């Protein structure tokens, strides 16, 4: 049995997987305080209530393979909660702006 046959027996499809994931948009890009070669990317839901954080070495930003995408689909397990109301509002505004100006796969 090949991998395609295996997938069909589970009833799982790519579109089902996407429904299980949450769309987040890039809302913040900063340098790490203690590590000068670390860039912190923060993505948030369009309502600003949930966020996803990624850290990348500055050297990993060279070349097309390490583009920073405007939006991502992430597992709900990979999302944190934004408790601060001011941060939540800022994230919501920025996520909405990014969603209006960019397709999720756009490089920013």
């Amino acid at each position: 049995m090949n991998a395609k046959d295996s997938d069909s027996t589970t009833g799982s499809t790519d579109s089902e997987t996407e429904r299980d994931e949450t769309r987040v948009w890039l809302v913040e890009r900063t340098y790490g305080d203690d590590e000068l070669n670390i860039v912190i990317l923060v993505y948030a839901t369009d309502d600003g209530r949930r966020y996803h954080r990624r850290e990348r070495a500055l050297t990993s930003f060279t070349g097309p393979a390490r583009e920073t995408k405007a939006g991502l689909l992430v597992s709900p397990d990979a999302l944190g909660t934004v408790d601060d109301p001011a941060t939540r509002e800022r994230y919501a505004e920025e996520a909405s702006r990014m969603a209006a100006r960019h397709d999720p796969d756009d490089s920013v």
Side-chain angles (χ1 to χ4, degrees):
M1 181 183 319
N2 65 34
K4 186 173 181 179
D5 293 337
S6 170
D7 286 346
S8 66
T9 61
T10 63
S12 177
T13 66
D14 288 340
S15 61
E16 287 176 2
T17 301
E18 286 180 14
R19 283 194 299 263
D20 292 341
E21 295 179 318
T22 301
R23 170 72 61 202
V24 290
W25 296 93
L26 184 66
V27 295
E28 191 173 84
R29 183 180 352 211
T30 59
Y31 290 99
D33 291 336
D34 55 350
E35 295 285 337
L36 296 178
N37 291 328
I38 298 293
V39 175
I40 301 166
L41 303 171
V42 178
Y43 289 81
T45 55
D46 57 1
D47 63 4
R49 295 183 177 278
R50 307 282 305 234
Y51 76 96
H52 175 74
R53 177 182 162 133
R54 291 194 172 181
E55 295 182 3
R56 293 196 3 213
L58 185 58
T59 56
S60 74
F61 281 90
T62 58
R66 295 300 296 190
E67 292 177 319
T68 300
K69 300 295 184 183
L72 302 174
L73 283 174
V74 297
S75 165
D77 296 340
L79 294 171
T81 302
V82 179
D83 296 324
D84 178 60
T87 301
R88 189 180 314 132
E89 183 178 335
R90 183 170 52 90
Y91 283 1
E93 288 174 6
E94 185 62 18
S96 295
R97 185 182 72 79
M98 289 293 282
R101 293 183 180 177
H102 297 281
D103 287 329
D105 288 334
D106 285 353
S107 181
V108 292

